[in-house]
Amino acid sequence: VGAGFARARSEERAMSGCKSRNPRVNILEHNAESIKFELRETHLSVANALRRVMLSEVPTLAIDLVEIHYNNTVLNDEFITHRLGLIPIVSMKVDKFRAWYEEDEEDDIDEQTGLPIDPLTEVEFTLDVLGRESDEDGEETTVVTSNDIVLDSLHPDVAPINYKVENVKPIVIVKLRPGQAISLKATVRKGIGKDHAKWNPCATAVFRVPPAIRVNQQMLSGLSDAQRQQLVDSCPSRCFRVNPDTKEVEVQNADRYTYDDEIVRKAELLGVGGAILVREKPEHFVFTVETTGSLPPHQIVLGALGTLKKKLNVLSRDTARVLGEQNFREGGGDGFPMEYA
């Protein structure tokens, strides 16, 4: 960013009383399906922006176009198309694809040849299943699943989740009786959840503000053991307990507190209002992100951060350009406005 813009931004921050922040992340839990982490020392708007981007602007792959060749099943074409679109597609190579909204971007250059690399735009699946006659057990129903989809031979890594994985149930598409059949071609494309929910990589993306709970033991010392137990039992989230040894009211699991304030009101009824104070921890957010399977949960978070960074770079560049043009007009100088990086 140009020096003039950086100086103006610094002065504006000083005048508004804003302080620079250094956000910190602490991973609490992480597995193949979900991730739980703390985000500290940042503003609520940043936490909510991260949550919204994870839901709507992290690109994935999904079936976008279905060409039905034959279908005499009990489900109509639109129903089957919708079910196919909601099957999560493994999107680890989504960066090699180009979506319709990226058509203006420049092609990547091959380091060896120096020539532009043609980006992928789509991959095609096929599905051809005929309802079988009764098997040895007398079962006449043929279950068509995501394992029956035939992948693109040039891109075998692009596949439905858990594709032909042993001991893992595939996703059911439709059921066929003898004489029924389904034949179609499906086109997989890159997209984002803002355009359609089928490109949303998150089953869940939420955050909560953990509570800061203070218990004034001196004020509670005037209560009887029965009253203390009543006070503890009034909390529906069961975050408090009476210590069996000291008989003091203790916080047992603050993370379960739901800000219902029932125990605060009960303390007031018992004549010890203010003995238990609950406040939100400032600039502290606990995220829980669950994946649909198209991307690992940590990749969703990293992808959202990358998207946010790009947005901020665009905002910074455009703001610098506007300020440069404004300074040029006010200065009345000759030539062209100062260029900003």
Side-chain angles (χ1 to χ4, degrees), residues 3 19 88 134 160-161 270 278 307:
K19 62 177 181 179
S134 58
I161 60 168
L270 293 174
V278 183
T307 300

Side-chain angles (χ1 to χ4, degrees), residues 247-297:
K247 302 302 181 181
E248 293 182 342
V249 175
E250 297 178 342
V251 179
Q252 185 172 246
N253 190 347
D255 291 339
R256 295 174 58 183
Y257 191 74
T258 57
Y259 294 97
D260 48 75
D261 284 343
E262 290 293 333
I263 193 169
V264 176
R265 286 190 283 268
K266 184 64 175 180
E268 294 174 353
L269 292 175
L270 293 174
V272 287
I276 296 180
L277 296 178
V278 183
R279 299 287 185 271
E280 292 182 346
K281 289 185 179 180
E283 299 184 350
H284 190 168
F285 312 96
V286 178
F287 279 80
T288 301
V289 180
E290 298 179 2
T291 178
T292 61
S294 56
L295 286 173

Side-chain angles (χ1 to χ4, degrees), residues 25-315:
V25 175
N26 178 34
I27 297 177
L28 303 176
E29 300 174 11
H30 183 209
N31 54 49
E33 296 180 353
S34 65
I35 184 171
K36 185 177 182 180
F37 63 93
E38 292 179 319
L39 177 62
R40 298 187 179 188
E41 299 183 16
T42 190
H43 194 267
L44 173 64
S45 60
V46 176
N48 195 45
L50 178 61
R51 180 191 68 86
R52 290 172 63 91
V53 170
M54 283 191 287
L55 289 170
S56 62
E57 297 194 52
V58 174
T60 62
L61 300 176
I63 293 176
D64 187 40
L65 181 66
V66 178
E67 182 180 335
I68 304 288
H69 298 153
Y70 185 81
N71 173 30
N72 67 341
T73 69
V74 295
L75 301 183
N76 58 43
D77 295 354
E78 291 79 8
F79 204 121
I80 292 177
T81 299
H82 185 260
R83 292 180 64 84
L84 288 170
L86 295 180
I87 295 176
I89 305 298
V90 176
S91 303
M92 294 302 295
K93 293 190 175 182
V94 67
D95 291 339
K96 294 185 178 181
F97 285 73
R98 175 171 293 181
W100 64 268
Y101 54 84
E102 299 174 320
E103 293 179 353
D104 295 335
E105 296 185 6
E106 296 181 358
D107 294 334
D108 294 331
I109 303 299
D110 191 319
E111 296 180 356
Q112 297 180 350
T113 63
L115 298 175
I117 301 176
D118 292 333
L120 284 170
T121 56
E122 57 188 36
V123 168
E124 291 185 351
F125 294 161
T126 57
L127 179 65
D128 295 285
V129 182
L130 175 65
R132 64 174 181 271
E133 300 296 331
S134 58
D135 55 20
E136 298 176 355
D137 299 329
E139 177 62 44
E140 296 183 345
T141 301
T142 301
V143 181
V144 182
T145 69
S146 54
N147 283 347
D148 294 312
I149 294 176
V150 179
L151 307 182
D152 190 324
S153 59
L154 298 178
H155 307 284
D157 295 333
V158 180
I161 60 168
N162 301 323
Y163 184 71
K164 295 186 177 179
V165 176
E166 293 184 3
N167 301 322
V168 177
K169 290 184 178 181
I171 299 173
V172 176
I173 300 173
V174 67
K175 295 182 179 180
L176 307 179
R177 299 291 289 176
Q180 294 181 337
I182 180 72
S183 176
L184 58 84
K185 180 175 70 174
T187 302
V188 177
R189 292 172 180 164
K190 177 181 179 180
I192 54 178
K194 187 164 62 174
D195 290 334
H196 196 284
K198 63 188 174 186
W199 283 299
N200 178 8
C202 301
T204 298
V206 297
F207 70 84
R208 65 186 298 269
V209 181
I213 304 175
R214 185 175 68 86
V215 180
N216 190 324
Q217 300 295 346
Q218 184 176 358
M219 295 182 67
L220 295 178
S221 61
L223 299 180
S224 64
D225 291 349
Q227 288 176 321
R228 293 180 190 179
Q229 190 61 49
Q230 290 177 14
L231 182 64
V232 168
D233 292 341
S234 67
C235 179
S237 50
R238 298 292 183 261
C239 298
F240 300 85
R241 71 164 190 159
V242 177
N243 189 300
D245 298 324
T246 64
K247 302 302 181 181
E248 293 182 342
V249 175
E250 297 178 342
V251 179
Q252 185 172 246
N253 190 347
D255 291 339
R256 295 174 58 183
Y257 191 74
T258 57
Y259 294 97
D260 48 75
D261 284 343
E262 290 293 333
I263 193 169
V264 176
R265 286 190 283 268
K266 184 64 175 180
E268 294 174 353
L269 292 175
L270 293 174
V272 287
I276 296 180
L277 296 178
V278 183
R279 299 287 185 271
E280 292 182 346
K281 289 185 179 180
E283 299 184 350
H284 190 168
F285 312 96
V286 178
F287 279 80
T288 301
V289 180
E290 298 179 2
T291 178
T292 61
S294 56
L295 286 173
H298 70 278
Q299 285 295 122
I300 297 175
V301 179
L302 293 176
L305 291 173
T307 300
L308 271 178
K309 185 177 179 180
K310 289 180 182 179
K311 288 178 174 290
L312 292 173
N313 287 336
V314 171
L315 176 63

